[in-house]
């Protein structure tokens, strides 16, 4: 039963985050790229302040998969790397912590391109 509750919570939280981004796209003059960048920056700021971690622990994949979760991952990676390596960690921590996710996204994109042969319409 706990797994069902976690799935429902992740669906609702992730859907709410995406819904808020969609409302911003529809109701403001902001471009989707600016809104997506704002989501990453918001996650980074909330992660740096220590607010996003407890939220992500409660919401699970609903908070860790959307773009604010990526920003939180970057902030956490930088924070941990600075604690271990000092100032150099500020430059390497974010990329080190996000490397697996970025690699998976690039691999999935390349595989999709090979399998479905995209073309101009």
């Amino acid at each position: 039963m706990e797994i069902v509750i976690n799935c429902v919570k992740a669906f609702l939280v992730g859907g709410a985050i995406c819904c808020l981004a969609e409302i911003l796209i529809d109701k403001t003059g902001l471009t989707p790229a600016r809104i997506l960048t704002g989501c990453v920056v918001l996650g980074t700021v909330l992660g740096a302040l220590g607010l996003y971690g407890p939220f992500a622990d409660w919401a699970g994949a609903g908070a860790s998969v959307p773009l604010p979760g990526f920003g939180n991952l970057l902030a956490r990676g930088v924070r941990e790397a600075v604690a271990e390596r000092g100032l150099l960690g500020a430059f390497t921590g974010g990329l080190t912590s996000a490397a697996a996710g970025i690699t998976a996204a690039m691999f999935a994109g390349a595989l999709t391109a090979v399998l479905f042969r995209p073309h101009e319409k």
Side-chain angles (χ1 to χ4, degrees), residues 38-116:
C39 287
V40 172
V41 170
L42 179 65
T44 304
V45 170
L46 291 176
L49 295 174
L51 300 174
Y52 203 83
F55 173 63
D57 290 341
W58 174 79
S64 62
V65 172
L67 284 175
F70 179 68
N72 176 54
L73 178 67
L74 293 175
R76 185 177 56 209
V78 168
R79 192 171 46 246
E80 291 171 0
V82 166
E84 291 177 10
R85 292 181 228 127
L87 183 59
L88 182 62
F91 299 105
T92 62
L95 292 176
T96 303
S97 67
I102 292 170
T103 302
M106 290 174 60
F107 178 74
L111 184 63
T112 301
V114 167
L115 291 176
F116 295 101

